[in-house]
Every structure is written in structure tokens, then in C-alpha cells.
């Protein structure tokens, strides 16, 4: 292999992967940028690109006394969230993408997007970002290369992934890397498409600058392409946080992976601080959004977090809801679409302290206290390095990952679903995940607050036919000699007065404690027709200011509500047609028969 010298922001870098060099040339010929600049991942490069982004008005420095190393970006108001209706799985047949995905034939998609990419980078720089999803050197890590004309994307990818020369070294001459192409084009929803070509390990994203659409390692590679690779290669790519929980008498943490839909508190749970009554318990964050899980030689499921940072929802983040997130964003963080204070700091709804009298809102307009408009966009975000997190697990960078003892599925449900329930077995657990419903949030464009089925929180992220994805989960059972126990939780149930019945946040530790005690066989449970629930007295509620009635209401199983729920689940199953595994259809019938 002969090495080619390529240009970086701060000098030169040597690249010898011929396939990679040829592809960059080919894409550059199509997009016609003024220059091609490779990303080496160095501190000098970060400083130079940041200075350039400030000079170009892409980033605004925040008050260095209050937020050292932090910058602010504002997006086009038409481009503030993931666009599920413009996201496509481009498999040779529609059937492979399945009924829950938008589909385009690969040839048609390439042709359409080639039209948009042709000449799209005239007058611009094409950055070549080699990045790794997973720790450098881990056998589970996947390499991607993203070509982008957005300096904002480069700086975000520098936080969210391991990127640069070390990834080129890791890749060597291999052909096993994801080909990602991105242009913001003219940020016009009419010309916005996020297309995945699983068979080609390729992603083309055009017309957006919003993180979930353009940081191609995250949703596009780690979940959509990742889930496809997982099925082919026998592992699981999931929309799950990973946390370690260690009790005062535990020698090692117990690791839990938990799936929640977007903007339902994964980051808060992953960084949870136990309440004072559970002093001595400690929570470690391994990841807050994505888990890649494989069967280890010991027959357990081992998980890595493929990311290196947190792309979290800012509103609602406070010292009370998530002190570790507040520490994580104290420095070296990028903020997007939050509000700005007059002294150059950030602000959003749900941050503690008095509401400032005046702010600049997420669209750059003056904002006054009492205004009916939100100062920060509800899906405004922070991009923070995981190294900033005081609760970061020492295993967050471990090439082998961590062994998972429990899996939690949780939706946002104001009714029906009790606080916590354990599945009877693996296939019932898969059923609990497959039937997850959740009220929609601002993380995706569309109406907020309507219940939709979001199986395993993967509805927007499964890169192939959802029924076959369930089949893959069921088939994994045979591979996992020591499977994790599976649970369902709901922090969001409401009383008749519309108030949440369960306090949530750090108090979720009480539920997680029961979960891990169950996973270790340390505590009993009460059998119900729908699953195992805590026996009276087994949820540690000491110090919690909650009436018995409220706890009863949060944990109650109302069979009438469940009859309605089973009917809705049945409708969802129908949409998946023949691809719905019989095991799950039978699970539903069994559960319905049990409650009569
Ligand atoms: C995210 C999402 O950004 O799920 O993590 O939308
Ligand atoms: Mn997510």
C-alpha cells in the first residue's frame, strides 16, 4: 500500500486506503467543492476550525468565565428535529424495509440524490471525517467516513465520535467502512432526504443541518445501518442507554440497558443520582442513547456505547433533574437552539433559578419574561464530551464493553402501563418491547403527545423490516446462554388531575434497585396475569413523600385499560402482516385469554 498525502486544516496526513481515496475523489467530482480537507482529530485542528466557524458566524462564543470552551449555534427554524417522513431505507425490495419505514428503490434514490449533490458544494469545503463508532481497537467498533460541507458537523462529530488519524490507522486497508455523504445544500425541506442503503453500507443525507439527520454516526450508522448489520452478523444495535448500578454491598456494578423513545429521559436515567435514602448506591454512565450488544464467550450479553459524547435535549435539564448533565455541559460543549442570556450564557425552560427578565430566544429575537413563546426550542440540544461526566463509567471506553444483567423497555404513557413489571421469560420480554407505546415528543417533526407504537424505541431507527427485527430478537435467545432479565417501566403515568403519579428522576433509582435485585434473584415478586410486579413493601419508598393511594395508582393494573391496550397492539401487529413472528401473536392471545 502506498501512502497518499492529504490536506488537513493544519497540515498533511497520510492515507493509504485506496478504496477510501478513490471514493473521496468520486464524491468530490460529483459535489464539486472548492477544496477537500481531511479531518485529523487533533486539538490544533479543533482550535482552527472553531475559530473559522466563529469568523463565519456559524458559532458564537459563550461567556468564557461561565462556559469555558463553549459555543452556540442557531439552526434554520425549518430544521430543528429529525424528519422521519423524509428518512428512507433504500433496500432492493420494499418488503426488506418493511411497512414501518419509508422506502425508495436504491437506483431511484441514488439518482434523485445525485441530482441534488451534483455541484452542491461549489464554493464550499468538503470535509472528510474518518470516525469510529466504539472504542478504538475494539473488535465491536465500526468505522465510518462522513463527507460533509458543514463545519458544524465536523465540530459535533469531534465530540460525538472518535475521529481522525487514529481511525485511519485502525481502518488500515479494510473495505469494511460506512460511506456517508452529507450536504446542507440550501436547507430546504423540499430538498431534504436522509437515505440509507444498508446493502451498500452507505448513507446519503441532504438538505438538513440538524444533528439527528446529519451526524451520520449516530442514528444513521449506529442504529439504522447498525441494526441491519446486527441481524446479518448476529448482534443487537439498540436505542438504549447503558448504566452501571452498584449497591453498598456489591463488589461490581450491575449493568442495565434501557430503551426509551427520543426525549423520554434516557440521558437523565443514564446519569441518575440516587436519592439520599439510597446513600451508598452509585450509578455509572456507560452510554445515554445507543447500545451495541453481543454475546460474549461467557454466554452473557456484552454492550458497548458506540458514541463518545451526549447529544442531549436541553429543556428540562437542571441541577434537580440531572446534575451530572449540568456538569457535563459546563465546558467544551456546543449548544444549538437554546436561549442566550444577556451575559453570554445559555438558558432554557426548566433550568432552575429565576427566569431571566430578558433573553435572546432560539431564533435570535429579544425575549421578555412572561412571553408565551418558548425562549429555547423544545428540541434544543447540547453536544457534550462524555469525558466531562462526573459519573462516567471507567468501562465507557472498554473495548469489551460491560455485561448486561437487565434490559428495560419504557414508554411515555399517561395511562395503563404500571410503574414496573418483569417479563415471565425472554419471548414475553421481547413482546413487552415489541408492543411499547409512547406519546410523541419534540425530537421529531410532527404532532406531540399522541400515543404511537414505538417498538423497543426503534420505530424511527430500525433499518429493516420490523417484524424480522422482532424475529432476530427472538432468535438471539438461543445464542445467549445467560440472558438478561427483561422489564417494562413507565415513569409518566398521570392521576385524574393530570399530575405525574411518580416523582421520576433520581427516585427512579428505587425501581432500578428492584430491577437489579430481581436480576440477581435477591428479591421476590408478585405474579399478575401480565407479568411479575414488586410485592408490597419491596419497592424501597423510604423518605418518599408519596401517599399509598398514589403508589397504588402508579403500580395498578387496570384490566379494562389493558383490554383496550391489547386491541391497539393487535392493530399494530396487523400492520406488520406476515412478518409478525407467531410467538409474539401467540403471546398476545395468551395474555388476552388470561385476563378474559
Ligand atoms: C436523539 C433522538 O437525538 O432520539 O437521540 O432523537
Ligand atoms: Mn435517541
Amino acid at each position: 500500500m502506498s501512502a497518499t498525502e492529504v490536506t488537513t486544516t493544519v497540515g498533511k496526513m497520510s492515507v493509504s486506503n485506496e478504496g477510501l481515496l478513490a471514493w473521496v475523489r468520486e464524491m468530490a467530482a460529483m459535489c464539486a467543492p472548492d477544496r477537500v480537507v481531511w479531518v485529523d482529530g487533533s486539538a490544533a485542528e479543533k482550535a482552527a476550525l472553531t475559530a473559522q466557524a466563529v469568523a463565519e458566524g456559524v458559532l458564537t462564543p459563550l461567556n468564557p468565565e461561565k462556559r469555558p470552551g463553549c459555543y452556540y449555534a442557531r439552526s434554520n427554524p425549518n430544521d430543528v428535529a429529525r424528519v422521519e417522513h423524509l428518512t428512507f431505507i433504500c433496500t432492493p425490495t420494499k418488503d426488506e424495509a418493511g411497512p414501518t419505514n419509508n422506502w425508495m428503490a436504491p437506483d431511484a434514490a441514488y439518482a434523485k440524490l445525485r441530482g441534488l449533490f451534483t455541484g452542491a458544494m461549489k464554493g464550499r469545503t468538503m470535509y472528510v471525517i474518518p470516525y469510529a463508532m466504539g472504542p478504538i481497537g475494539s473488535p465491536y467498533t465500526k468505522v465510518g467516513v462522513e463527507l460533509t460541507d458543514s463545519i458544524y458537523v465536523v465540530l459535533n462529530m469531534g465530540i460525538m465520535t472518535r475521529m481522525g488519524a487514529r481511525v485511519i490507522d485502525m481502518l488500515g486497508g479494510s473495505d469494511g467502512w460506512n460511506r456517508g455523504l452529507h450536504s446542507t445544500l440550501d436547507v430546504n425541506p423540499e430538498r431534504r432526504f436522509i437515505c440509507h442503503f444498508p446493502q451498500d453500507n452507505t448513507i446519503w443525507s441532504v438538505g438538513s443541518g440538524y444533528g439527528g439527520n446529519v451526524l451520520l454516526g449516530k442514528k444513521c450508522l449506529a442504529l439504522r445501518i447498525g441494526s441491519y448489520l446486527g441481524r446479518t452478523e448476529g448482534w443487537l444495535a439498540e436505542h438504549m442507554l447503558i448504566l452501571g448500578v452498584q449497591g453498598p454491598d456489591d463488589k461490581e456494578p450491575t449493568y442495565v440497558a434501557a430503551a426509551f423513545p427520543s426525549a423520554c429521559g434516557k440521558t437523565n436515567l443514564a446519569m441518575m443520582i440516587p436519592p439520599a435514602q439510597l446513600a451508598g448506591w452509585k450509578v455509572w454512565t456507560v452510554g445515554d442513547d445507543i447500545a451495541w450488544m453481543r454475546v460474549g464467550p461467557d454466554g452473557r450479553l456484552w454492550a458497548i456505547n458506540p458514541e463518545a459524547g451526549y447529544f442531549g435535549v436541553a429543556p428540562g435539564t437542571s441541577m434537580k433533574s440531572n446534575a451530572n448533565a449540568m456538569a457535563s455541559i459546563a465546558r467544551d460543549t456546543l449548544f444549538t437552539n437554546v436561549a442566550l442570556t444577556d451575559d453570554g450564557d445559555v438558558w432554557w425552560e426548566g433550568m432552575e433559578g429565576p427566569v431571566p427578565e430578558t433573553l435572546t430566544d432560539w431564533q435570535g429575537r429579544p425575549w421578555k419574561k412572561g412571553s408565551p413563546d418558548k425562549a429555547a426550542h423544545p428540541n434544543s440540544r447540547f453536544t457534550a464530551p462524555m469525558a466531562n461526566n462526573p459519573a462516567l463509567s471507567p468501562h465507557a471506553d472498554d473495548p469489551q464493553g460491560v455485561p448486561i444483567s437487565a434490559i428495560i423497555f419504557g414508554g411515555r404513557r399517561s395511562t395503563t402501563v404500571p410503574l414496573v413489571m418483569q417479563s415471565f421469560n425472554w419471548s414475553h420480554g421481547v413482546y413487552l418491547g415489541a408492543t411499547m407505546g409512547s406519546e410523541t415528543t419534540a425530537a421529531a417533526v410532527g404532532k406531540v403527545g399522541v400515543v404511537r407504537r414505538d417498538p423497543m424505541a426503534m420505530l424511527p431507527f430500525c433499518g429493516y423490516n420490523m417484524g424480522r427485527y422482532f424475529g432476530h430478537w427472538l432468535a438471539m435467545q438461543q445464542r445467549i446462554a445467560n440472558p438478561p432479565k427483561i422489564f417494562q417501566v413507565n415513569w409518566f403515568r398521570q392521576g385524574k388531575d393530570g399530575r405525574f403519579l411518580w416523582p421520576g428522576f433520581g427516585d427512579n433509582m428505587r425501581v432500578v434497585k428492584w430491577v437489579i435485585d430481581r436480576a440477581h434473584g435477591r428479591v421476590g415478586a408478585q405474579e399478575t396475569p401480565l407479568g411479575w410486579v414488586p410485592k408490597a413493601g419491596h419497592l424501597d419508598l423510604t423518605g418518599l413523600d408519596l401517599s399509598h393511594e398514589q403508589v397504588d395508582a402508579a403500580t395498578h393494573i387496570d384490566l379494562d385499560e389493558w383490554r383496550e391496550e391489547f386491541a391497539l397492539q393487535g392493530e399494530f401487529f396487523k400492520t406488520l402482516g406476515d412478518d409478525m413472528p407467531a410467538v409474539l401473536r401467540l403471546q398476545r392471545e395468551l395474555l388476552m385469554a388470561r385476563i378474559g
Side-chain angles (χ1 to χ4, degrees):
M1 275 191 309
S2 63
T4 300
E5 294 278 286
V6 295
T7 303
T8 68
T9 303
V10 288
K12 296 269 180 215
M13 181 166 83
S14 160
V15 179
S16 48
N17 190 310
E18 287 301 335
L20 171 56
L21 289 161
W23 172 75
V24 173
R25 277 194 300 270
E26 190 194 333
M27 295 299 107
M30 173 171 70
C31 300
D34 281 11
R35 65 199 79 77
V36 176
V37 171
W38 290 63
V39 168
D40 68 10
S42 64
E45 172 188 79
K46 181 179 171 191
L49 288 177
T50 304
Q52 187 185 327
V54 171
E56 288 172 4
V58 174
L59 292 182
T60 306
L62 292 172
N63 183 329
E65 305 282 307
K66 300 197 152 188
R67 303 263 163 200
C70 293
Y71 295 84
Y72 175 64
R74 207 171 265 144
S75 79
N76 187 312
N78 78 29
D79 187 34
V80 291
R82 284 184 292 100
V83 282
E84 294 178 7
H85 59 297
L86 302 174
T87 299
F88 291 83
I89 302 298
C90 307
T91 41
T93 64
K94 183 166 170 32
D95 174 62
E96 284 164 273
T100 60
N101 280 313
N102 300 313
W103 174 79
M104 247 195 273
D107 285 354
Y110 279 130
K112 188 180 196 88
L113 269 66
R114 216 175 276 125
L116 297 173
F117 275 119
T118 299
M121 297 189 189
K122 273 197 194 113
R124 301 182 185 184
T125 301
M126 174 190 267
Y127 294 98
V128 183
I129 313 173
Y131 66 93
M133 298 311 290
I136 297 288
S138 166
Y140 310 134
T141 292
K142 300 280 183 201
V143 167
V145 180
E146 174 165 358
L147 308 179
T148 179
D149 56 9
S150 161
I151 198 168
Y152 170 86
V153 166
V154 180
L155 292 167
N156 274 271
M157 287 292 279
I159 297 174
M160 294 305 295
T161 74
R162 289 98 174 155
M163 76 176 188
R166 56 193 175 145
V167 180
I168 294 287
D169 291 345
M170 182 181 160
L171 182 62
S174 163
D175 189 34
W177 48 278
N178 180 273
R179 290 143 179 79
L181 176 62
H182 166 249
S183 171
T184 48
L185 208 61
D186 55 352
V187 201
N188 182 337
E190 300 289 312
R191 285 184 285 279
R192 183 170 296 158
F193 297 95
I194 324 296
C195 289
H196 306 72
F197 304 88
Q199 277 83 356
D200 302 343
N201 201 359
T202 292
I203 304 157
W204 282 13
S205 165
V206 68
S208 171
Y210 171 71
N213 299 328
V214 301
L215 307 179
L216 298 185
K218 191 175 181 59
K219 301 301 181 182
C220 302
L221 172 51
L223 289 177
R224 299 197 189 94
I225 299 284
S227 58
Y228 173 87
L229 293 175
R231 178 155 180 262
T232 323
E233 299 170 359
W235 52 280
L236 296 166
E238 301 302 327
H239 193 201
M240 291 181 178
L241 65 94
I242 310 165
L243 55 77
V245 184
Q246 195 165 7
D249 303 324
D250 298 336
K251 285 204 187 66
E252 295 288 332
T254 300
Y255 294 96
V256 179
F260 292 80
S262 308
C264 287
K266 279 200 294 301
T267 306
N268 293 343
L269 185 60
M271 299 181 182
M272 173 173 62
I273 296 177
Q277 294 74 23
L278 293 176
W281 285 76
K282 172 94 186 96
V283 170
W284 306 97
T285 317
V286 180
D288 80 327
D289 195 42
I290 298 173
W292 282 357
M293 302 192 285
R294 297 178 186 256
V295 186
D298 59 358
R300 290 191 288 177
L301 203 52
W302 287 73
I304 61 163
N305 166 20
E307 301 190 281
Y310 309 121
F311 181 63
V313 178
T317 307
S318 66
M319 289 307 284
K320 182 164 175 287
S321 69
N322 194 340
N324 286 323
M326 293 303 276
S328 303
I329 62 177
R331 61 197 145 84
D332 302 322
T333 295
L334 299 176
F335 294 89
T336 306
N337 289 343
V338 300
L340 291 181
T341 62
D342 296 343
D343 61 353
D345 199 3
V346 290
W347 190 87
W348 45 77
E349 281 72 16
M351 199 185 249
E352 58 273 292
V355 175
E357 291 299 323
T358 56
L359 291 162
T360 304
D361 81 359
W362 67 277
Q363 296 191 66
R365 302 173 302 199
W367 184 93
K368 275 207 173 60
K369 185 172 165 180
S371 159
D373 297 330
K374 299 243 186 275
H377 187 275
N379 192 39
S380 52
R381 297 277 177 152
F382 53 79
T383 318
M386 72 176 180
N388 281 0
N389 178 3
L392 186 69
S393 163
H395 293 285
D397 227 358
D398 189 330
Q400 298 305 322
V402 295
I404 299 295
S405 300
I407 288 176
I408 295 176
F409 292 114
R412 177 187 287 269
R413 293 297 299 272
S414 46
T415 66
T416 318
V417 179
L419 183 62
V420 60
M421 189 159 73
Q422 183 184 354
S423 71
F424 293 121
N425 50 42
W426 181 266
S427 50
H428 180 223
V430 173
Y431 174 87
L432 291 181
T435 54
M436 244 171 82
S438 195
E439 286 145 32
T440 49
T441 68
V445 169
K447 195 162 164 19
V448 169
V450 288
V451 176
R452 70 168 181 180
R453 293 294 133 189
D454 190 352
M456 299 182 177
M458 283 290 278
L459 182 73
F461 307 120
C462 184
Y464 63 100
N465 185 306
M466 186 62 90
R468 290 174 210 161
Y469 165 77
F470 296 155
H472 175 49
W473 261 87
L474 291 168
M476 283 297 285
Q477 181 177 19
Q478 283 157 24
R479 296 201 178 95
I480 316 173
N482 300 307
K485 303 279 189 292
I486 302 183
F487 299 80
Q488 180 178 47
V489 301
N490 179 21
W491 318 135
F492 300 96
R493 204 164 179 183
Q494 293 174 11
K496 293 207 169 53
D497 56 3
R499 300 232 308 255
F500 289 118
L501 291 165
W502 179 251
F505 302 111
D507 286 311
N508 292 336
M509 181 62 212
R510 302 166 191 274
V511 175
V512 172
K513 178 176 180 299
W514 185 77
V515 163
I516 67 159
D517 283 344
R518 285 296 292 163
H520 289 304
R522 298 197 289 228
V523 69
Q526 177 74 48
E527 188 175 339
T528 77
L530 303 181
W532 298 95
V533 299
K535 280 195 173 147
H538 278 179
L539 269 187
D540 188 342
L541 301 177
T542 41
L544 196 57
D545 185 17
L546 218 58
S547 67
H548 266 295
E549 294 75 38
Q550 213 170 324
V551 177
D552 285 351
T555 53
H556 179 60
I557 292 176
D558 178 322
L559 294 186
D560 283 337
E561 284 183 345
W562 275 94
R563 284 187 194 96
E564 211 173 298
E565 175 72 10
F566 285 128
L568 294 172
Q569 293 179 4
E571 279 172 29
F572 174 63
F573 281 16
K574 258 194 232 144
T575 64
L576 295 183
D578 292 345
D579 289 307
M580 192 67 208
V583 172
L584 299 186
R585 277 193 267 117
L586 292 170
Q587 280 285 349
R588 176 173 162 272
E589 281 169 30
L590 183 63
L591 291 164
M592 286 198 309
R594 270 202 205 122
I595 67 168

